Amino acid sequence: GFMMPSRDSENVDRNAGPVYKQHITPVTIKQLNEAERSNSGDNFVLNGAQLSTVTVVGVIQKMETLSTNIEFVVNDFTGSLSMKFWLDGDEKPYKVTERLAWKTGTFIRAHGSIQSISGINTLIAVGIRPLEDFNELTFHRLEVIQTYLHHTRGVLNKGSGMGTAPMTTSGDDNGQAVGVYNGDSIPPAVTQLANYVKNVPGNPQGIPRQDMIQALSTKFSDVQVNAAIDYLHREGHLYSTIDEDHFSYCAA
């Protein structure tokens, strides 16, 4: 789970922010691809923090077993990432058995450190396991958002897991429960869109923008629905998945 960072006073690049030495940082592949080297060149930096160990959740797109390592391409619907897992010559039999579950098309969680290989950000994985529950994909995204908010906005307010006012339940014109924000005047299109997307069955690829527009077309114009999508996205209750026109709902 998400853990608050601790500073390591040794080997710190003073111009690159705190180092997260003892904690695993949840990230998306897009974030890893965009991570840059610190001024010293010894570490990678994301949102002002130096990365040590990171974890990603995605699907294996390509996999090739070589004599000394296994090379992967992993995709989490925000981008694709090169990943390498080094093989141990004295590997225990049960470890070999575990690796049989690593196949193309399998959703996995991997953790390790990021390195630049031939100019490409590459995850050097030290642990890989298949997902047993697809809720872990959603939970990972929530952890990514929480970590991002902590790095960019500081400590989150009490009572709000997303850095904004908490979601409550209210009734719309049809008596259905919809999500609204405490203390704000929210347009009806936003509350009804929140009610719609949180009841759509989970899909790793997310809900297409056009489906949301169509679902609310009898009450709201395309412009109103797009504005509602942008509002929920900006406030952290929708996150984009495979592109900027597919979203998943992440509010409680």
Side-chain angles (χ1 to χ4, degrees), residues 221-243:
S221 68
D222 291 9
V223 172
Q224 289 175 307
V225 177
N226 277 319
I229 293 171
D230 291 342
Y231 182 92
L232 290 174
H233 185 230
R234 185 173 64 251
E235 292 298 319
H237 296 285
L238 283 181
Y239 62 86
S240 56
T241 54
I242 59 175
D243 57 33

Side-chain angles (χ1 to χ4, degrees), residues 190-246:
V190 172
T191 58
Q192 293 194 34
L193 177 63
N195 184 61
Y196 167 73
V197 296
K198 73 179 181 180
N199 287 297
V200 173
N203 181 342
Q205 294 190 6
I207 307 166
R209 181 186 294 268
Q210 195 56 43
D211 285 7
M212 292 185 269
I213 292 172
Q214 182 63 35
L216 275 67
S217 63
T218 59
K219 293 186 177 182
F220 304 102
S221 68
D222 291 9
V223 172
Q224 289 175 307
V225 177
N226 277 319
I229 293 171
D230 291 342
Y231 182 92
L232 290 174
H233 185 230
R234 185 173 64 251
E235 292 298 319
H237 296 285
L238 283 181
Y239 62 86
S240 56
T241 54
I242 59 175
D243 57 33
E244 294 305 313
D245 288 314
H246 289 76

Side-chain angles (χ1 to χ4, degrees), residues 26-229:
V27 292
T28 65
I29 286 174
K30 183 176 186 290
Q31 288 178 315
L32 283 186
N33 286 333
E34 294 176 350
E36 299 179 346
R37 284 197 177 277
S38 62
N39 291 343
S40 68
D42 296 331
N43 302 284
F44 281 85
V45 177
L46 180 65
N47 300 320
Q50 295 185 46
L51 297 175
S52 179
T53 303
V54 299
T55 180
V56 298
V57 174
V59 62
I60 299 174
Q61 285 188 315
K62 296 180 181 178
M63 176 178 170
E64 182 179 5
T65 301
L66 306 175
S67 59
T68 58
N69 66 87
I70 304 175
E71 296 182 350
F72 301 84
V73 175
V74 179
N75 187 296
D76 71 347
F77 309 112
T78 71
S80 295
L81 174 74
S82 296
M83 184 173 76
K84 181 175 291 191
F85 180 87
W86 290 102
L87 297 174
D88 185 351
D90 298 324
E91 195 170 34
K92 302 294 184 183
Y94 78 90
K95 289 289 187 180
V96 176
T97 302
E98 286 180 352
R99 285 198 284 106
L100 296 177
W102 303 353
K103 299 176 181 178
T104 302
T106 300
F107 279 84
I108 60 167
R109 175 182 287 278
H111 68 274
S113 59
I114 182 172
Q115 295 182 14
S116 179
I117 299 178
S118 300
I120 298 173
N121 287 1
T122 302
L123 180 64
I124 307 301
V126 295
I128 300 173
R129 64 172 177 79
L131 294 193
E132 297 180 356
D133 185 342
F134 278 104
N135 286 328
E136 188 170 353
L137 179 59
T138 302
F139 182 74
H140 176 75
R141 289 296 179 88
L142 291 173
E143 287 194 306
V144 169
I145 293 169
Q146 186 180 34
T147 303
Y148 170 79
L149 290 175
H150 176 80
H151 290 169
T152 58
R153 300 186 187 181
V155 178
L156 302 182
N157 295 328
K158 273 190 174 182
S160 174
M162 302 307 301
T164 60
M167 294 290 287
T168 60
T169 300
S170 175
D172 66 5
D173 295 337
N174 298 320
Q176 295 176 322
V178 296
V180 299
Y181 299 95
N182 283 333
D184 290 337
S185 176
I186 301 300
V190 172
T191 58
Q192 293 194 34
L193 177 63
N195 184 61
Y196 167 73
V197 296
K198 73 179 181 180
N199 287 297
V200 173
N203 181 342
Q205 294 190 6
I207 307 166
R209 181 186 294 268
Q210 195 56 43
D211 285 7
M212 292 185 269
I213 292 172
Q214 182 63 35
L216 275 67
S217 63
T218 59
K219 293 186 177 182
F220 304 102
S221 68
D222 291 9
V223 172
Q224 289 175 307
V225 177
N226 277 319
I229 293 171

